[in-house]
Structures are given as C-alpha cells and as structure tokens.
Amino acid sequence: MGLFDFFRKKKEEIKEAEDYYNSIGAEEKKYFWGYSSTTNATLTRSDSSVVSLRGYYHDYTGGAHGMYAYGGENIDVQTGKILELADILTDTEGFYDKAIPYISDELVKTYTDGLFSGYEEAVTNAFAPNQTSNWYLTGAGIVITFSPYEVGPYAMGAPEITLPYAEFDSFIKENYKISQG
C-alpha cells in the first residue's frame, strides 16, 4: 500500500477504533491504553524524472509492541503517474532474475542466522504483481523493503536492500537512470 492509499484508509481505521472504544464498558476503559498511529515520509530522490518517497508506518493497537513497515511511493514527474517497479525497467524478467539472488545474498551477508527458513520465497514474492509499494529510489539505487516477520523475526527489524545502479543500470529505462553529472 502506497502513502496515498494509506491516508485514504486511515480515516476508516480511526472510525473503527472509535467504534470499538465506544462499545467497551466503563471498567474496560480504565485499562484501555489507547491506540496510536504514526506515519511519515522522507524524500529519497527528486529530479527531473521522478520523486521518490520512503514511507514509515507504525500502528499500536495493544499487545507487546506495535507493528511497523517501510514502503515507497514513486511518482513520474512528467506524467504524475504513481510508478510500479515494472514501469521503470527495460527487461522486467531479466531484472528479477538478477535481483532475487542479489537480495538473497545480501540478506544472508547481513542477517546470517536470523533469517527464517524459506525466506527465499518472501524475496521472490517481493516482485509479485500485487507488491506495488515495497520499493523506492535513492541516489544509490532501487531499495527493496521487507516488513518485520517477512524474512526474519521482529527483532531483526525491517530489512531494506539497495540494488545499486552500477549493477542494475542495464535494466533501467534511460529516463529513470540517475544523472551522472
């Protein structure tokens, strides 16, 4: 879910939380710690081709800890279109064929024993057609994000792997390549 969709949905969630609170009794309200939701966006790339934002989302609705995730929103400056990863690639399948083992190798190098068995499936699923907001652009490359519990335990955090332009440049459409000047 991208930033824009997130804000559209947030109004519904606030109404649900309000309805829940209004439905509990006075005794339960004494122990109700409340819910919280935090969202922010950081500009990660802005040039004549694209504006890219890294979103941070955190919700607490009870329990030991809240849940958070990072995501991206990438906008074509010329058209205003919210971009999908395939929109910036010249060879989507070739890109995936190179990116999937690259990401897996980087996860192993960084997190070693902390990865869930079968984490490779989550890496492959990162490129599924319904995954439209798990990436963003920076000056260094294409960043692929994973939420806590996607490839490892909560304590491992939310891994982000940068696919460097230097290694993936041949898969990126000319107008989305980073300017070298």
Side-chain angles (χ1 to χ4, degrees), residues 47-97:
D47 54 41
S48 61
S49 299
V50 67
V51 168
S52 196
L53 302 167
R54 175 187 189 243
Y56 167 77
Y57 317 93
H58 180 274
D59 288 315
Y60 176 78
T61 57
H65 57 74
M67 188 58 179
Y68 70 98
Y70 295 99
E73 198 76 75
N74 304 281
I75 305 155
D76 184 295
V77 173
Q78 303 302 315
T79 65
K81 178 183 179 190
I82 296 174
L83 298 167
E84 295 183 13
L85 186 55
D87 293 331
I88 72 166
L89 301 175
T90 58
D91 176 7
T92 305
E93 290 307 314
F95 175 82
Y96 295 164
D97 289 345

Side-chain angles (χ1 to χ4, degrees), residues 107-124:
L107 286 169
V108 168
K109 280 187 223 171
T110 306
Y111 299 102
T112 318
D113 297 333
L115 295 167
F116 289 152
S117 63
Y119 75 92
E120 299 93 342
E121 184 178 346
V123 173
T124 300

Side-chain angles (χ1 to χ4, degrees), residues 2 22 56 72 100 102 113 121 123 129 131 137 147 149 153:
N22 290 333
Y56 167 77
I100 290 169
Y102 183 93
D113 297 333
E121 184 178 346
V123 173
Q131 294 292 335
L137 299 169
S147 297
Y149 299 115

